[in-house]
Amino acid sequence: MNNPPLRIVFAIYPGMTQLDFTGPHQFFVRWPDSEVIIASPAGGDVPSEGLIFAGTRRLAEIEACDLICVPGGRSTTATALDSAFIAEIRRLGLAARYVTSVCTGSLILGAAGLLVGRRAACHWAWRHLLPLFGATADDGRVVRDGNIITGGGVTAGIDFALAVLAEIGGVEQAQIIQLGLEYAPAPPFDAGRPETAPAAILAAYRALMADILPRREAEAREAANRLGIGRA
């Protein structure tokens, strides 16, 4: 008797970074034995950075999944204060075989109480917020701690997806999908990490983020306080 397909749920929300979602989604939908479901707090259309993802299912209607994946985005910490959404993430995550995220999506997993005592990745600029949720911040591009698999910032979602597929079905099949999608990154600049970016570029990016940093930190602290482990 054939095994049922691996049920993968992407929990998306308005204001997410679309590549956090679409990057791994492109790889997961190529997996031959998977059922990929796109769900959101209210269902229906979800706007993201000039795109609209149509016809999503209501997250509350999803009974269970084998893998849940939460993308990040500039609205992540605000979304972490949506108690109904966070409750659904926790419900599905507690029963899932794999609990995963990309970029600041790990802050949502944290707000759902799924990262207490676990190592997790996050976008480098917001990684320092993970300990608010009882997690240990890890600077790895893909980090695994038990059944928790998290990816770093944005494009790390593709590396994350390949690591997950290799875990689920083996390295060979993951590499076949990688080849089919011609994933062979060779960026023209070595500025994708704060450790390698020129000092002036790093300073310019930090300046761009300066206005939103206090708000996001405050939202993260409030989400952690709701969880009962927030720090002053």
Side-chain angles (χ1 to χ4, degrees), residues 91-105:
R91 175 181 65 84
L92 289 170
L94 287 174
R97 180 177 168 193
Y98 298 104
V99 177
T100 76
S101 65
V102 177
C103 197
T104 53

Side-chain angles (χ1 to χ4, degrees), residues 92-153:
L92 289 170
L94 287 174
R97 180 177 168 193
Y98 298 104
V99 177
T100 76
S101 65
V102 177
C103 197
T104 53
S106 57
L107 300 179
I108 288 178
L109 296 184
L114 298 171
L115 295 184
V116 177
R118 301 295 194 104
R119 292 182 303 107
C122 190
H123 187 287
W124 65 266
W126 311 106
R127 194 186 300 140
H128 66 286
L129 298 176
L130 280 169
L132 292 173
F133 302 102
T136 298
D138 191 308
D139 65 2
R141 193 158 170 85
V142 181
V143 175
R144 177 168 185 174
D145 189 336
N147 72 325
I148 308 288
I149 307 176
T150 50

Side-chain angles (χ1 to χ4, degrees), residues 2-108:
N2 293 331
N3 293 323
L6 185 83
R7 174 174 274 201
I8 297 170
V9 170
F10 281 93
I12 69 173
Y13 50 89
M16 67 173 177
T17 296
Q18 63 86 12
L19 189 58
D20 288 5
F21 157 52
T22 55
H25 178 272
Q26 180 64 74
F27 282 75
F28 287 160
V29 294
R30 293 289 181 99
W31 192 253
D33 297 313
S34 66
E35 174 192 10
V36 181
I37 298 170
I38 315 305
S40 63
D45 296 351
V46 177
S48 169
E49 301 185 319
L51 301 177
I52 296 178
F53 297 96
T56 69
R57 294 177 58 179
R58 284 185 64 240
L59 198 61
E61 295 174 353
I62 309 300
E63 293 183 1
C65 62
D66 299 297
L67 184 152
I68 184 169
C69 184
V70 183
R74 292 198 175 186
S75 65
T76 298
T77 49
T79 302
L81 297 176
D82 181 341
S83 57
F85 178 66
I86 292 301
E88 296 301 336
I89 297 296
R90 179 172 176 80
R91 175 181 65 84
L92 289 170
L94 287 174
R97 180 177 168 193
Y98 298 104
V99 177
T100 76
S101 65
V102 177
C103 197
T104 53
S106 57
L107 300 179
I108 288 178

